[in-house]
Amino acid sequence: MNDRYEHLLRKSRDAKRGGHDAWSVQSTGEKVAVALVLNRADWLAEIDYTIPEAIERSGAEWLAIIPQVARQLAEEE
């Protein structure tokens, strides 16, 4: 695991536990990536992003770890 993975995992855990309030204080880039991890298209829409725009905004490095973070969160349930 690398620093980006740990960062996204931490931010995603925060939003999963704290809901919208925890998500809303994150940076735009974090919000986009976390919304993708948590499968929250409604959160993306709130910041005027479509799923394709969110994918593009995330970039290749973050996009590669989003499914891994989502799986880890699911396993923690």
Side-chain angles (χ1 to χ4, degrees):
M1 292 189 215
N2 62 37
D3 291 340
R4 283 188 179 99
Y5 181 90
E6 291 296 328
H7 180 83
L8 182 55
L9 180 61
R10 185 175 60 255
K11 293 295 183 174
S12 297
R13 277 184 185 140
D14 289 348
K16 186 174 182 180
R17 291 180 186 145
H20 186 271
D21 289 341
W23 175 80
S24 66
V25 297
Q26 297 176 1
S27 73
T28 301
E30 291 167 343
K31 285 179 181 179
V32 168
V34 167
L36 288 171
V37 167
L38 299 179
N39 198 27
R40 295 299 306 253
D42 58 324
W43 287 0
L44 289 173
E46 185 178 315
I47 57 172
D48 295 322
Y49 274 84
T50 63
I51 292 172
E53 290 168 338
I55 290 169
E56 182 177 52
R57 168 72 190 255
S58 294
E61 289 182 42
W62 283 83
L63 203 54
I65 62 174
I66 286 172
Q68 297 168 342
V69 172
R71 276 192 299 275
Q72 182 163 344
L73 287 176
E75 290 171 3
E76 292 175 0
E77 290 181 349

